Structures are given as C-alpha cells and as structure tokens.
Amino acid sequence: SERLLLARWSTGGAVAAGYALTTLWATTPGLAMSWTYTAPGQRGLSTLLELYGQQRTTPVDGPDGERTAPYVQDWRSATFDRWAAALRTRLLADDPAALPSPAAATATPPMPWPEFAEAVKHAYRSALDPRQLAESALLGTRLVAPGADAAALRTTLTETVAQLRTLPGQRQLADVLEITYLSGPRSQQAAASRAALSFSTYRRRLSAALTRAAELLRERELYGSVPR
C-alpha cells in the first residue's frame, strides 16, 4: 500500500511549486518516497528543496537531453507532520542554517517489523498495568510524542482497536482485543466464553487480531496519526 511520488517537472515560480509539492506530500495516502526533478534554470526551486531538507542525488538526463537534479525524501523515516514541525522550527530560528534540516531532524529508523510486532503484543498484554506498559519499546517509537507515558500509549492502543472495528469484516477481531486486553483482567478461557467462541477459534482470532493491530500501528507510526 506504499506509494511513490514523482515530480518530473514544475511550472511557475519556486514558491508556487513548493506549495504544490507540500500539498502532495501531505495528502498522498501511504507516501513512502518522493522524487522532485529540477532543471538547471530552476535555481530557486533547488534552493527551496534544500531548505526543505530534500536530499540531492546524482544528476540525470531528462527526455530532452537536459541535465536535471533529482531531490529525494524518504517519508517512512520522517512523517509529514514531524517534517513540517521541524521545518517550522528551522524557519523561525534566528540562524536556520545552524539547525539540522527537517529530514535530518526527524529521520529515525523505524523498529524492524518482527521486533515491532512483538512489542505490540507485549503492549496489549500490559495495557492494564501502567508499570509494565511504561517499559514498552513502543514508547521509543513515533506512535507517541517524545517523553510520553504509559497512559498515552494505552490511548494509542485503544484508538487502534476502535479503528480496527470500523474496517470491513474486522469487528470480531476488534472485539476479541477489547475483551481480552482492554475491558478488565480475565483468563483467555473466560475471554473466549465472553466472545462466544470455542477456545481454538478464539486463539486463532486473537492471533489474527494482534497481527492486524500491529499493521495498523505500523501505518500510524510511518504515516501519522490520522488514517488517510
């Protein structure tokens, strides 16, 4: 579901092009990577893209033989919201050049998927125990604000169950997560009984629910808190 955005050319001045580009960066669902090509005569746009923290790569020949300079951004390691916040801080500083670029300021590599999925499982199992949840590896991810506590992480976990419930065919998975981890301590046998499922079916549903919740949380980490 990840997307690539390629801007091969732009018309008008640098400010208009910058506005159009930032609109695309903000609104393209699941944006993973973007490339923006600038022609030799577009020095204003090149300067703007460098201010935005876009990484300039090796020049290439355009379709008309003109050398173009591509700028690239990996949005998987810097969500648009965090990139915009870092850019705003840089633009309002007395000496913008002294601050890291927006891309550098936010480019924290995400946790590898197997570790992330396992951390999600442990977080749900600890959702009702603030002390255990405070030790979750997810507190070091972009799922919560820097310095956030266990309560903020529990809110994120609860919101993910609510999001899962709205997806077609996923309501039962959301109910299983809610019953098992968020609505009071109980054994898995008791949870299966409340969900009106055989124990073997309940276990399969619980495993699928944790995997689907991890996928939704991964999307939230990479692309921001508002589903697009």
Side-chain angles (χ1 to χ4, degrees):
S1 63
E2 293 183 332
R3 296 190 179 186
L4 308 178
L5 181 64
L6 175 64
R8 291 183 56 197
W9 65 83
S10 62
T11 59
V15 173
Y19 178 82
L21 287 167
T22 53
T23 299
L24 287 169
W25 297 336
T27 59
T28 300
L31 181 59
M33 303 284 293
S34 65
W35 280 268
T36 306
Y37 289 81
T38 62
Q42 294 179 305
R43 292 185 178 180
L45 181 57
S46 295
T47 300
L48 188 64
L49 292 171
E50 289 171 2
L51 178 64
Y52 283 0
Q54 308 290 294
Q55 181 182 354
R56 182 168 180 166
T57 60
T58 304
V60 298
D61 290 329
D64 56 359
E66 189 177 45
R67 297 288 281 177
T68 62
Y71 288 81
V72 64
Q73 170 82 9
D74 184 348
W75 297 101
R76 295 168 299 180
S77 60
T79 65
F80 179 84
D81 291 343
R82 290 176 178 268
W83 170 86
L87 177 62
R88 181 170 61 249
T89 299
R90 192 181 197 211
L91 294 177
L92 294 176
D94 292 333
D95 184 7
L99 296 178
S101 73
T106 57
T108 303
M111 188 187 304
W113 168 251
E115 296 177 23
F116 183 86
E118 191 64 27
V120 169
K121 293 179 183 179
H122 284 296
Y124 273 106
R125 292 167 185 164
S126 306
L128 297 179
D129 188 332
R131 287 180 297 180
Q132 288 189 20
L133 194 58
E135 299 176 358
S136 173
L138 297 181
L139 286 171
T141 69
R142 292 182 293 274
L143 287 172
V144 294
D149 59 10
L153 179 55
R154 188 178 190 279
T155 296
T156 298
L157 297 176
T158 302
E159 291 174 349
T160 301
V161 172
Q163 180 187 355
L164 182 60
R165 185 170 282 114
T166 66
L167 300 179
Q170 305 294 292
R171 183 179 183 85
Q172 188 179 66
L173 298 185
D175 289 344
V176 166
L177 283 180
E178 175 78 29
I179 292 168
T180 305
Y181 299 123
L182 300 179
S183 61
R186 58 174 50 84
S187 67
Q188 288 195 350
Q189 287 82 359
S193 177
R194 184 175 176 186
L197 298 171
S198 69
F199 189 63
S200 59
T201 300
Y202 162 80
R203 292 293 300 271
R204 291 195 298 272
R205 295 286 191 277
L206 180 59
S207 177
L210 286 168
T211 298
R212 191 68 185 97
E215 292 170 350
L216 293 176
L217 285 164
R218 187 62 150 189
E219 291 177 5
R220 179 168 179 160
E221 180 196 25
L222 295 178
Y223 305 120
S225 59
V226 179
R228 294 172 179 158

